[in-house]
Amino acid sequence: AKGTILVSSKNIPGNITFSRDFFATALQGTHRFDTTTFAFPDAVDLTVRVLTKPVYQDKDIMYIVQVACPLDTIQGALNDFKEILFVLLPLAIFVTGIIGAFLAKITLNPVDRIIKTVQKITAENLKLRIQMPGTRDEIERLAATFNDMLDRLEKAFSSQKHFIQDASHELKTPLTILQGELEVTLKRIRPVTEYEEVLESSLEEIRRISKIVENLLLLARVENRAAFDEEWPLL
């Protein structure tokens, strides 16, 4: 505790001493870590990490022990670690990229199948549906949403088809009657009264056609309004 070196390792010359600050802290009863440099007469300087710790005997500080570890060993290990990282980091990035691409391909396979199925759907095969991937995630919800949309489109196309068929049937009857009466009338010259009867009958059929057209336009406006209200209920 008085600063006299009692014993030292064989590889540390006895004439090497440390800073007095080391001892001052130890004499206060606390240990400390420091980094210092040894200067050898016949060798290069050596940087070490030093632990200075007091040793008590009967509550009095009797000795101060110092343990030093050369930092060149640690620095060598760090340099080796840097070289390993320099080699492993690009390799790890490359392997991670391959694994990521593989996982992304597996993850996006259901999306590719959905895209291929949607591309095959036309007005002629609206009954075609997307196969549910069974992933229980957003992709499955996307497939379900597409199928719901296709159901609505199929119903709309079917309703439109039936509407056109019904409208064609309703318009065909008066037009056929009108065409037949006119063709029969034009086959020969007839009295004025017969012409008047044909014209009155034709006018009646034309009024019937006009009524059908008005009903069709009204029905179209009602359907458009219903679709608009369904899409924008707050308006």
Side-chain angles (χ1 to χ4, degrees), residues 104-152:
K105 183 177 181 181
I106 293 178
T107 305
L108 295 178
N109 274 339
V111 178
D112 292 336
R113 289 195 295 268
I114 291 175
I115 293 174
K116 292 178 181 179
T117 304
V118 171
Q119 290 175 344
K120 295 178 182 177
I121 297 175
T122 61
E124 289 74 20
N125 61 346
L126 283 175
K127 294 186 179 296
L128 186 62
R129 293 293 181 270
I130 298 173
Q131 184 179 1
M132 300 300 291
T135 54
R136 297 181 180 180
D137 55 6
E138 287 76 9
I139 296 178
E140 184 173 359
R141 291 175 56 192
L142 177 64
T145 303
F146 268 117
N147 287 336
D148 292 340
M149 180 187 68
L150 292 174
D151 290 337
R152 294 193 297 269

Side-chain angles (χ1 to χ4, degrees), residues 18 22 32-36 48-52 66-69:
F18 295 97
F22 296 2
R32 61 181 291 173
F33 286 94
D34 298 277
T35 301
T36 187
V48 295
R49 185 70 171 167
V50 182
L51 167 63
T52 305
Q66 289 183 318
V67 180
C69 177

Side-chain angles (χ1 to χ4, degrees), residues 177-204:
I177 295 174
L178 184 60
Q179 180 182 1
E181 290 180 347
L182 293 176
E183 288 177 351
V184 172
T185 302
L186 293 175
K187 284 184 178 180
R188 63 183 177 85
I189 299 176
R190 299 176 184 275
V192 177
T193 55
E194 291 187 10
Y195 284 119
E196 290 178 353
E197 291 177 357
V198 171
L199 290 175
E200 289 178 358
S201 177
S202 299
L203 182 59
E204 183 181 353

Side-chain angles (χ1 to χ4, degrees), residues 47-68:
T47 301
V48 295
R49 185 70 171 167
V50 182
L51 167 63
T52 305
K53 183 178 178 64
V55 179
Y56 289 87
Q57 185 174 357
D58 297 331
K59 298 182 180 182
D60 295 327
I61 298 177
M62 300 300 296
Y63 307 100
I64 295 175
V65 177
Q66 289 183 318
V67 180

